[in-house]
Amino acid sequence: GGGGSKCAHLRKDATYQDLENSGALKYRQLVEAAAPFAFGQRPQQVQIGDTLWLCVDSSPYWMGWVAQSAESECHCVVALRGQDGSVYDSCNHPASPVHAFINGSSENDVPDLPLELLRSLSERVTKVRDNGGQGSITLAGFSQGGLAALACALWMGR
């Protein structure tokens, strides 16, 4: 390829301002709250603007957050942290590319993901919606946490 070949996908330059304008950074604080491996270092609530987010579940790799301002509105976020670079995370992070190999698992085995949390949040949001309210579940992840979030989204879409 002497530079004349065309890509199947067009590339578009983007600035940090474009990222901010996209809304993708909206849940950044919730993902950052899940970064410390030690539960004692993790906040149990986070204030973002006018919204108070309460932690409803925490594991070494994710945190579940709910902002329920009234019975008519319930928004949930599952924040999945990225790998911290440790050997332990390489072996155990659900989105680690070497997880199955190191643990002797089948590459087809589903890693430990927050599927029960997603079921629980889905029931909560469904109840609010059934009563005429608004609700949502957002998966937010950084680095390998983003891969785990994608796996959860694929599972939810089945």
Side-chain angles (χ1 to χ4, degrees), residues 9-133:
H9 301 282
L10 296 176
R11 293 181 184 214
K12 180 183 176 219
D13 291 336
T15 65
Y16 189 79
Q17 188 64 44
D18 293 331
L19 178 63
E20 283 184 344
N21 293 343
S22 75
L25 298 176
K26 184 176 183 178
Y27 304 110
R28 179 179 173 181
Q29 286 177 267
L30 301 179
V31 174
E32 288 175 347
F37 191 79
F39 292 153
Q41 296 174 357
R42 291 179 171 185
Q44 295 304 297
Q45 60 185 37
V46 173
Q47 184 81 34
I48 301 175
D50 294 336
T51 306
L52 178 64
W53 292 90
L54 302 175
C55 175
V56 295
D57 186 61
S58 189
S59 92
Y61 303 103
W62 62 79
M63 290 181 79
W65 297 95
V66 173
Q68 189 157 359
S69 58
E71 288 190 22
S72 64
E73 190 172 356
C74 178
H75 298 286
C76 308
V77 173
V78 177
L80 299 111
R81 72 169 179 84
Q83 186 178 3
D84 65 9
S86 70
V87 172
Y88 183 85
D89 254 16
S90 292
C91 296
N92 296 291
H93 193 291
S96 170
V98 295
H99 178 267
F101 174 76
I102 289 174
N103 292 296
S105 307
S106 166
E107 61 192 31
N108 296 320
D109 290 347
V110 176
D112 187 25
L113 294 169
L115 305 180
E116 286 303 316
L117 171 61
L118 287 167
R119 273 193 199 103
S120 169
L121 295 176
S122 178
E123 289 170 5
R124 182 183 284 217
V125 168
T126 298
K127 185 176 179 182
V128 169
R129 287 180 175 177
D130 286 349
N131 291 324

